[in-house]
Amino acid sequence: MDISPSTPLIPVASPLGLNQKATFRQEVLWLLKNAIPLVISYLLQNSLQSVSVISAGHLGANELAAASLASMFVTVTGLSTVMGTTLCLDTLCSQAYTNRECDKKVVGLHVQRCLVFLAALFLPITALWWFAQDVFVLLRQEQQVAMLAGRFVQWMIPALPAFGLFESLKKMLQAQGLFRAPTYVLFVGAPFNVLASYFLVWHTPLGFIGAPIAAVLTYWLLVLLLVGYILYVDGSQVWPRWQWKASSSSSSSGVGVGGVLDYQAYVPMLKLAIPGILLICSENWAYEIIALASGWINDGATSQGAQSVIVTSVAMFYTIPFGVGISAANRVGNALGAQRPKQAALAAKTALVAACIVAFVNASVLFFYRRNWAYLFTDDEDVVILVSKVIPVVAVFIFGDNIAGIADGILNGQGRQHVGAWFNLAAYYLSSLPLGFFLCFKLNWGLQGIWFALMVSLLTVAIATIMVVLRSDWTQEAINARKRSSQEAKEL
């Protein structure tokens, strides 16, 4: 079937506000409307881990070190892997939902298969978490800290499947344009986490392990609330009944291609999921390597403290780009699934304009408040002085990182997660870390050397990613989206 940028393949009254005559203003309003709840969700969800560290950390110095170490380990080895895997749903679900040749229940089928893949991933992650204490000992952590951190990680094991369910169901709702549902759920879950953590740590015999138990209870509460929203409010229309084996005829659920265990259907999913894991994890792993390296600098504790302030700041300033990036991914995916390449291109360009504005504002705020910024986190004068020296470089890094993050969202909507993954791997492991360590330890630039290398690499990645997006063949991407979704509907 021949497709041109103006070929209408679905009715003008299309879902999610997609239409052939969309304007830049309409795309801006849509982006703002749906990015805001995502930003709030991101902030609330990130608070769950922070509350656990704060609650347990007030018990003593060893408990603080152990909770921080365990939280980092859980995020890097488990939660990041889940988030990277579910990036495939940004593509598959958003494109399938607006493809008129595709039964809407294919969206839920993609989620079911993603959950099966996550279940397989959980087996090695669970084994790693169970023996986390041994890992910490190998990393030469103090014995008491290693023991406490290991227990913390073990108690977090039940949270892993809950986190996978929550992230997958959240992607399913976002593909349908239901961006506010996870925010509503987190408005209940986040306060519950604070109260549960405080009560279990300070008012029960559980003490230290009360923090991870509270986190586990919170994640399962989030799943239950989200399932309740889907069943009783909106979103259940895309969920098929579980059908394990492949079939050659339509089932009563309306999905008649392949079941959850149709192994051939996992090939296109894995082509998106594996790059997604690399995209998310490569950045987190790099930051942890840098955190370890900051302890090898001559001024030791000062550089480690400054690095902690800087990384926390980078995460803070990524909240808005995160929301815009997820919104852009779903908007582009929906437009391509609906065979509206012109609108997909307009949505992408709108997101890039928003990226530049957000990145400029974030970088400017950090730069102009550089002399006092560190006082938000510490009263140590040496740390404050070092942070103020490094922040001009970090501000430029944030500019590039914010733009690259939103551009990656556009690529995810297209189904080109591999582009961002390769750029990240090259930026961090072939450029930033080798150059940064050379500048830091050989030329004695210290922490500034590491962040100068990161700045150069991420600016390069931002420019390269923008060029890839702008040079996209949107007609071909629409064809790819139709083929990707229609593979599931060819026998309906």
Side-chain angles (χ1 to χ4, degrees), residues 96 99-107 237 253-255 489 492:
N99 186 338
R100 73 168 184 172
E101 299 176 8
C102 182
D103 191 298
K104 294 294 184 288
K105 291 186 183 295
V106 170
V107 174
Q237 57 269 20
S253 68
V255 178
L492 287 177

Side-chain angles (χ1 to χ4, degrees), residues 117-440:
F117 178 63
L118 284 172
L121 282 180
F122 290 163
L123 296 177
I125 295 173
T126 298
L128 179 64
W129 285 15
W130 185 257
F131 295 102
Q133 180 178 341
D134 297 327
V135 175
F136 296 143
V137 170
L138 288 175
L139 293 174
R140 299 183 179 182
Q141 298 297 311
E142 195 272 326
Q143 187 65 39
Q144 181 67 13
V145 171
M147 185 271 290
L148 288 171
R151 290 181 63 199
F152 190 110
V153 173
Q154 286 179 337
W155 279 100
M156 283 295 293
I157 289 175
L160 192 59
F163 186 78
L165 278 166
F166 181 72
E167 285 296 311
S168 299
L169 294 176
K170 185 169 70 174
K171 298 290 186 181
M172 185 181 79
L173 291 172
Q174 289 170 356
Q176 301 173 71
L178 304 173
F179 293 96
R180 287 171 174 73
T183 309
Y184 297 149
V185 166
L186 281 160
F187 270 130
V188 177
F192 172 84
N193 184 52
V194 174
L195 295 174
S197 187
Y198 174 75
F199 176 76
L200 293 178
V201 171
W202 293 97
H203 295 282
T204 72
L206 293 171
F208 178 77
I209 62 170
I213 291 174
V216 170
L217 293 175
T218 301
Y219 279 121
W220 280 107
L221 175 64
L222 293 176
V223 171
L224 291 175
L225 290 174
L226 201 60
V227 169
Y229 184 96
I230 292 169
L231 289 176
Y232 299 109
V233 182
D234 199 1
S236 63
Q237 57 269 20
V238 301
W239 188 264
R241 71 175 177 83
W242 285 87
Q243 180 178 312
W244 293 103
K245 295 182 180 180
S247 65
S248 58
S249 61
S250 296
S251 69
S252 60
S253 68
V255 178
V257 185
V260 175
L261 296 183
D262 181 4
Y263 300 112
Q264 290 184 344
Y266 282 85
V267 175
M269 191 192 80
L270 291 177
K271 287 181 178 179
L272 300 173
I274 292 174
I277 294 172
L278 292 176
L279 178 65
I280 299 295
C281 292
S282 59
E283 184 171 4
N284 287 332
W285 296 340
Y287 283 144
E288 296 308 326
I289 292 171
I290 293 168
L292 290 173
S294 66
W296 305 335
I297 301 173
N298 292 333
D299 58 2
T302 300
S303 288
Q304 281 186 309
Q307 172 65 17
S308 178
V309 170
I310 291 169
V311 169
T312 303
S313 302
V314 169
M316 286 173 55
F317 283 107
Y318 194 71
T319 53
I320 296 177
F322 173 83
V324 175
I326 297 295
S327 295
N330 282 278
R331 187 61 165 177
V332 169
N334 285 150
L336 291 176
Q339 297 302 290
R340 302 195 184 280
K342 277 189 174 182
Q343 188 165 3
L346 179 60
K349 292 174 182 176
T350 304
L352 289 180
V353 171
C356 293
I357 294 172
V358 169
F360 179 77
V361 171
N362 282 344
S364 298
V365 169
L366 187 61
F367 178 80
F368 287 115
Y369 286 94
R370 64 189 181 280
R371 300 190 188 281
N372 298 310
W373 183 260
Y375 284 119
L376 295 174
F377 306 90
T378 182
D379 293 323
D380 188 307
E381 288 296 333
D382 291 333
V383 172
V384 170
I385 292 171
L386 180 55
V387 169
S388 67
K389 290 180 179 178
V390 182
I391 274 184
V393 175
V394 175
V396 181
F397 164 85
I398 284 176
F399 181 80
D401 186 49
N402 286 183
I403 292 175
I406 294 174
D408 281 339
I410 297 169
L411 294 175
N412 293 344
Q414 293 178 336
R416 302 169 74 188
Q417 284 87 338
H418 63 282
V419 175
W422 285 117
F423 281 169
N424 261 15
L425 287 171
Y428 287 106
Y429 298 96
L430 298 182
S431 175
S432 297
L433 293 179
L435 177 59
F437 285 5
F438 175 78
L439 295 175
C440 177

Side-chain angles (χ1 to χ4, degrees), residues 10-24:
I10 61 176
V12 174
S14 59
L16 305 173
L18 297 172
N19 58 80
Q20 284 295 113
K21 298 181 179 180
T23 64
F24 177 77

